[in-house]
Amino acid sequence: MQHLAGRAALALLGLAASAMAALAQPAPDTIGAIRARGQLVCGVSINAVGFALPDARGNYTGLDVDTCRAVAAAILGDAGKVKFVPTTSQVRFTALQSGEVDMLARNTTWTLGREAQLGLAFASVNFYDGQGFMVKQSLGVKSAKELDGATVCVQPGTTTELNLADFFRANRMRLTPVVIEQPEEIRQAFRSGRCDAYTNDASSLASFRAAEGREGEQYLLLPEIISKEPLGAVVRKGDWRFFDVVRWSHFAMVTAEEHGITSRNIDGFMASTNPDIQRLLGKSGDFGKAMGLENDWAVKIIRQVGNFGEIWERNITPMGVPRGINELWTRGGLQYAPPIR
């Protein structure tokens, strides 16, 4: 018994030593690394209309792009100082874990498994989404529940594959999945008729349809949304100051929209006596300094990137996607920013 007690004591001492060693390690300083290189490195999607799309000169636009630009404005004072790294579904988490990118903003769903098992933390939700189905009008289908026996194109290694199987099983329907890794190959398979339906986040399906131009008019988004897919910015766990900056960069844009502050009229609010606006614009409190930023961090975001409504109108509205549950909470939506105080 004494021998066992001794071994237990040694084990406890070993655990304690490991814990002390972990505490002794310097905390990661992502903000410092970004400032040292003069650039934020952000992982984004590959050619996703409305979210991350490069033009002929390699200049990116999109909702996720603006999410990254807001963080760069907060940290570096310049929303243009971002290097965008296109990442696939298969490599996106590895790229973040390894430090190849500072953050992800690429249509990535916030789930328990990803936070608990991958060492990652979701800082914000810039698009409340859900998985849907697209078919050709010529198929004559008006509901996903009419897809019994259908072939469905789906990407592996994502939540969509599991959701698809669950939906068909729950509705006692037969399914033949056509599993294809590369997004463009999936879309080509759908165009060619290799699969009856194409499933993905509704935002991604709308992005695909918009990119098809006139050809996209032949595609129908079915009404069923079969999952909750909150999409947003992701960072590595451990650097909580950087986490705060990414999270509150989004909340600053939402708060600005709540107060009607835009990139065009912000100068008219600089003398506001509203305490909430004063704190947002850095006129009172040291909330920027608390995050390692200048106190006018939110001003830089709003001036250079805009409020949340502006980035939505610029990137998502042209796709024909209604704001819906992505409206402000005051208009019945889910976009809600905690107070800056």
Side-chain angles (χ1 to χ4, degrees):
M1 292 294 290
Q2 288 181 344
H3 178 65
L4 291 175
R7 290 178 62 184
L10 286 172
L12 288 172
L13 285 171
L15 288 172
S18 297
M20 290 299 292
L23 289 172
Q25 294 295 321
D29 183 11
T30 308
I31 294 174
I34 291 167
R35 285 179 173 149
R37 80 169 80 95
Q39 193 177 52
L40 170 74
V41 182
C42 194
V44 294
S45 295
I46 299 174
N47 297 337
V49 175
F51 292 88
L53 185 71
D55 62 17
R57 296 183 178 181
N59 297 314
Y60 277 81
T61 57
L63 187 76
D64 288 336
V65 167
D66 282 340
T67 297
C68 302
R69 293 177 66 238
V71 176
I75 295 174
L76 299 170
D78 187 342
K81 291 184 176 180
V82 186
K83 176 183 178 181
F84 295 102
V85 177
T87 58
T88 66
S89 296
Q90 286 69 39
V91 306
R92 55 184 164 171
F93 297 128
T94 303
L96 181 57
Q97 291 165 329
S98 67
E100 179 184 346
V101 299
D102 299 313
M103 61 180 284
L104 287 178
R106 51 123 19 250
N107 303 81
T108 299
T109 300
W110 184 354
T111 69
L112 169 61
R114 288 171 175 174
E115 280 204 328
Q117 298 170 354
L118 300 182
L120 307 178
F122 284 75
S124 63
V125 177
N126 65 3
F127 197 107
Y128 288 95
D129 205 356
Q131 185 173 334
F133 294 88
M134 178 178 284
V135 297
K136 290 182 179 178
Q137 302 266 13
S138 58
L139 191 64
V141 169
K142 301 298 182 184
S143 166
K145 293 182 179 179
E146 298 173 24
L147 291 174
D148 187 21
T151 55
V152 182
C153 281
V154 62
Q155 191 173 18
T158 65
T159 55
T160 56
E161 191 176 16
L162 176 61
N163 294 337
L164 173 65
D166 286 348
F167 177 76
F168 271 74
R169 187 180 303 111
N171 287 281
R172 299 182 179 180
M173 299 191 303
R174 293 168 293 117
L175 165 70
T176 302
V178 178
V179 181
I180 303 173
E181 183 172 328
Q182 297 302 323
E184 186 50 41
E185 291 180 16
I186 294 178
R187 292 164 182 169
Q188 185 53 40
F190 177 60
R191 293 187 193 102
S192 68
R194 184 177 166 190
C195 46
D196 301 310
Y198 173 23
T199 187
N200 207 332
D201 291 348
S203 61
S204 180
L205 297 175
S207 176
F208 162 62
R209 185 172 63 179
E212 294 290 281
R214 293 291 298 272
E215 289 296 314
E217 295 176 5
Q218 66 178 305
Y219 303 134
L220 174 68
L221 270 169
L222 299 179
E224 287 83 3
I225 297 295
I226 66 170
S227 70
K228 294 186 292 185
E229 306 293 338
L231 312 178
V234 196
V235 300
R236 291 179 292 275
K237 283 183 177 178
D239 189 345
W240 298 112
R241 176 162 284 188
F242 182 57
F243 172 88
D244 287 344
V245 171
V246 176
R247 165 169 280 185
W248 285 94
S249 293
H250 172 73
F251 286 152
M253 293 190 287
V254 173
T255 302
E257 185 182 8
E258 290 176 348
H259 290 291
I261 305 172
T262 71
S263 58
R264 297 180 297 276
N265 68 16
I266 187 172
D267 288 338
F269 285 87
M270 296 306 291
S272 173
T273 58
N274 182 316
D276 289 335
I277 294 175
Q278 287 183 336
R279 289 189 288 266
L280 172 67
L281 303 183
K283 295 297 184 179
S284 66
D286 283 331
F287 299 105
K289 290 182 180 179
M291 294 189 293
L293 307 175
E294 299 295 326
N295 281 334
D296 66 346
W297 62 281
V299 173
K300 294 169 183 173
I301 293 173
I302 299 163
R303 283 191 195 281
Q304 298 179 47
V305 185
N307 68 29
F308 186 72
E310 287 181 278
I311 69 172
W312 184 279
E313 288 295 321
R314 182 162 62 237
N315 299 301
I316 305 301
T317 297
M319 294 165 52
V321 177
R323 185 95 180 250
I325 60 174
N326 286 286
E327 267 287 9
L328 294 178
W329 65 282
T330 52
R331 300 173 193 153
L334 296 177
Q335 288 294 345
Y336 180 105
I340 297 176
R341 64 169 182 258

